[in-house]
Structure formats: C-alpha cells, structure tokens
C-alpha cells in the first residue's frame, strides 16, 4: 500500500470542510452584520480543521453512511473556534494573534468576541440537532461542559503562576483539549453505528491522541515559530502556565507524546488496514510544526 501523504490528506479535507462551513455560516451582510462578520472572521481562513477531520476519518474507517456526518463534523469546528475566541480574551489568555491574524477581540471588540463565541455554540448545537441523535448532542454537550473542556480551562486558569503536580496537568490537558478530540472520534463512530467494542477502542484512540495534541501544543509554544504557527510563541512561560515542558522539559514531553501516540495507534490494532488514515493522523500530531 502507498504511504499516506497526511499533509495532502489534511489539505484536501480542509477544502471540503471549509466549503461546508462557508455554506453553514450566515452571510456577512446578514443583519446584524457585525456578529456574522465576526463569526466568519474566526471560523474561516487558516486553521487545520483537525477535529472535523478526525470525525470524518473515523466515520469513513467505520464505513459510515449517515449523510449528517458533515454537519456534525462542522459543529465540532464551530465549537473549537468558539473555544479559541474565548481563550484569547483578556480575561483568559489575553492573546493578540490567532491563525495568522489579530484575535477577534482585537479585530472587533470584546463584546462582539464574547457574543460570537456564544453564537457559534448555538449554531453548533443547531447542526447537531439536525442529526436527529440526542445521544450525540448529549455527548458533545458533556465533552465541552464543566466536566470537559470548560473544566479543563478553569483548572488551567487557576493554576497559572503557582506550583502544580502532574495529575493536575493531565487533568487540564485531557479536559481542555483532549475532550473535544475524543468526542470527535466518538461522534464519527456513533454516526457510523460502530459497535460498543469499536467505540471503546476509538475512544481510547481519541483520548491518547488528544492528550498528546496538547503536549505538543505546549512544546510548540516554546520551540515553534510564530510565523509557522500563526500565533505567539513563548506565552506559556511568560504567564507561568501549567505545561508539560515546565514540569518535565521539552525532550521528556516529546517522549511522553510519542508514548501516547503509540498507545493511540495500538488501540487501532483491531481495525487493521482500514484504520491507516487514523494512524497517519496520530503520527501527524507529534510531527506537526503548527
Ligand atoms: C468552547 C465550551 C467552550 C468553552 C470555552 C476557553 C475555553 C472554555 C477553553 C479553551 C480550550 C482551548 C482553547 C484549548 C487549547 C486547544 C488547542 C490545542 C488549540 C489549538 O488547536 P489547533 O492547533 O488550532 O487545532 P487550529 O488553529 O489549527 O484550529
């Protein structure tokens, strides 16, 4: 079998997802236009679309046929964009650069940024409702709520500038970032009607890969280039954030991410060659420079 060109795969998928997102987001001149312009500013353009790509790739590996998959995948990207907007606000990480351009509150203002996040969340759940699957709506709501993404962000903010232990760090990373990547894998599997053993294996894949994703995000914040990443580097150290490199150093953090990715790929063993693209996505997580 030919080796997978994962960069090409991601680029091809991004085009398809962006076309769908463009159709889903209200036109920029829809009244009140400032909020619709803000939503489009944050969602469209740069960004890897990793979460919807994971959902689509799992769905295809499980030979899913439900035509609502694209709506569900796009809902995950809207939620991700919402989390980035709020994460960048002055009351959170206070960043001025995201996806190679000024953060939303810099380009518009803080009120519009808060409201654009709220609006993207509402639109995401409208899309999820269109799947007709209350189980999927519940899964996503739980993954991003106080026991998921919001919970991780709360502990992240509270742990700034004070000593922290590895258990706390794992909690932050697996919740603020891992939960959405895990639920992306689960949504793809659930819409494809995967069996319970398959769902368990794909959940493990998502959890390990999601944790590794944030560890590499931490490493890139130290070792990455602002121009490549489209966001500022060095900010975690400035804010004395709870990160893997702060606790273990860069080299050990990379080894930990590699170990997690090996475990994520092990979880795919039962699927054989039908999960090749899922393995390639896992490898991308530790090889990425952005
Ligand atoms: C949205 C429910 C909800 C809650 C808001 C602000 C917040 C609570 C959570 C923050 C979560 C957050 C921003 C975690 C960081 C995740 C992360 C690694 C972002 C970067 O993801 P990439 O690299 O970015 O996929 P692109 O730009 O490629 O999409």
């Amino acid at each position: 079998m030919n080796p997978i060109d994962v960069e090409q795969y991601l680029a091809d998928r991004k085009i398809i997802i962006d076309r769908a997102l463009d159709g889903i987001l209200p036109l920029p001149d829809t009244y009140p236009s400032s909020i619709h312009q803000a939503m489009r500013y944050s969602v469209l353009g740069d960004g890897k679309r990793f979460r919807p790509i994971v959902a689509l790739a799992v769905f295809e590996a499980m030979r899913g046929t439900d035509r609502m998959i694209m709506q569900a995948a796009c809902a995950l990207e809207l939620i991700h964009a919402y989390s980035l907007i709020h994460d960048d606000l002055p009351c959170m990480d206070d960043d001025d650069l995201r996806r190679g351009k000024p953060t939303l509150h810099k380009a518009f203002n803080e009120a519009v940024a808060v409201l654009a996040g709220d609006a993207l969340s509402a639109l995401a759940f409208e899309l999820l409702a269109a799947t007709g699957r209350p189980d999927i709506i519940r899964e996503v709501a739980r993954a991003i709520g106080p026991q998921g993404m919001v919970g991780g962000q709360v502990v992240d903010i509270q742990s700034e500038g004070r000593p922290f232990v590895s258990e706390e760090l794992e909690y932050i990373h697996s919740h603020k970032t891992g939960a959405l990547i895990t639920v992306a894998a689960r949504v793809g599997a659930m819409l494809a009607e995967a069996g319970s053993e398959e769902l368990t294996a794909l959940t493990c894949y998502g959890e390990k890969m999601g944790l590794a994703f944030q560890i590499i995000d931490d490493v890139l914040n130290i070792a990455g280039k602002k121009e490549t990443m489209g966001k500022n580097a060095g900010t975690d150290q400035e804010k004395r954030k709870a990160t893997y490199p702060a606790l273990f150093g860069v080299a050990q953090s990379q080894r930990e991410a590699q170990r997690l990715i090996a475990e994520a790929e092990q979880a795919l063993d039962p699927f054989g060659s039908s999960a090749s693209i899922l393995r390639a996505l896992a490898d991308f997580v530790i090889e990425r420079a952005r």
Side-chain angles (χ1 to χ4, degrees):
M1 204 177 109
N2 291 332
I4 293 170
D5 181 348
V6 73
E7 291 282 352
Q8 190 59 52
Y9 176 84
L10 289 167
D12 292 346
R13 286 302 154 114
K14 179 175 158 62
I15 292 170
I16 297 167
I17 292 163
D18 282 1
R19 207 174 292 144
L21 287 168
D22 187 36
I24 285 165
L25 287 160
L27 291 170
D29 55 0
T30 309
Y31 186 80
S33 60
S34 57
I35 189 73
H36 300 118
Q37 283 165 11
M39 290 161 80
R40 296 179 75 89
Y41 178 92
S42 290
V43 174
L44 302 175
D46 216 352
K48 296 181 286 297
R49 313 290 183 253
F50 189 70
R51 294 136 192 92
I53 288 172
V54 167
L56 290 170
V58 167
F59 179 79
E60 281 163 17
M62 296 293 103
R63 304 197 197 297
T65 55
D66 191 321
R67 294 176 64 181
M68 296 314 291
I69 182 61
M70 187 55 85
Q71 309 269 345
C74 285
L76 300 171
E77 185 63 20
L78 298 184
I79 291 167
H80 173 57
Y82 153 39
S83 77
L84 298 179
I85 295 168
H86 282 197
D87 192 48
D88 290 334
L89 285 169
C91 62
M92 300 227 195
D93 277 2
D94 193 11
D95 266 311
D96 56 16
L97 187 69
R98 171 70 69 182
R99 293 177 165 177
K101 54 188 189 180
T103 46
L104 187 60
H105 66 275
K106 290 279 178 189
F108 290 70
N109 60 57
E110 275 182 49
V112 166
V114 170
L115 293 166
D118 297 341
L120 289 171
S121 172
L123 184 54
F125 279 95
E126 190 183 327
L127 292 177
L128 290 170
T131 64
R133 293 279 302 260
D135 55 340
I136 287 178
I137 300 170
R138 193 180 314 115
E139 283 270 336
V140 176
R142 289 211 174 129
I144 69 170
Q147 312 262 318
M149 194 185 225
V150 168
Q153 180 76 349
V154 168
V155 182
D156 178 287
I157 299 284
Q158 287 172 349
S159 62
E160 262 178 41
R162 66 158 173 81
F164 58 92
V165 294
S166 62
E167 289 77 10
E168 225 172 344
L169 190 54
E170 189 174 326
Y171 178 91
I172 293 169
H173 284 35
S174 61
H175 287 74
K176 83 167 180 180
T177 303
L180 190 57
I181 290 175
T182 304
V183 87
R186 284 181 64 85
V187 165
M190 289 166 78
L191 266 181
E193 307 295 351
S196 71
E197 280 181 23
E198 291 170 326
L199 190 56
T200 303
L202 290 162
T203 303
C204 177
Y205 165 73
E207 285 171 353
K208 305 280 181 189
M209 185 167 69
L211 181 51
F213 194 97
Q214 183 58 51
I215 296 175
I216 296 299
D217 198 75
D218 290 356
V219 168
L220 289 174
N221 192 274
I222 292 178
K225 293 215 165 27
K226 176 178 171 177
E227 297 71 33
T228 315
M229 297 189 297
K231 58 183 180 182
N232 292 317
T235 52
D236 290 345
Q237 275 169 316
E238 272 166 34
K239 293 185 193 106
R240 296 180 54 224
K241 281 248 177 209
T243 68
Y244 272 71
L247 202 56
F248 303 112
V250 167
Q252 201 182 321
S253 300
Q254 278 168 326
R255 280 196 293 277
E256 177 60 6
Q258 278 158 1
R259 188 187 68 75
L260 287 160
I261 289 301
E263 286 184 0
E265 292 186 22
Q266 248 171 39
L268 300 173
D269 283 350
F271 304 110
S273 62
S274 58
S276 299
I277 193 64
L278 302 182
R279 290 185 193 94
L281 288 174
D283 288 337
F284 167 77
V285 165
I286 38 175
E287 285 156 11
R288 71 198 179 98
R290 62 193 168 95

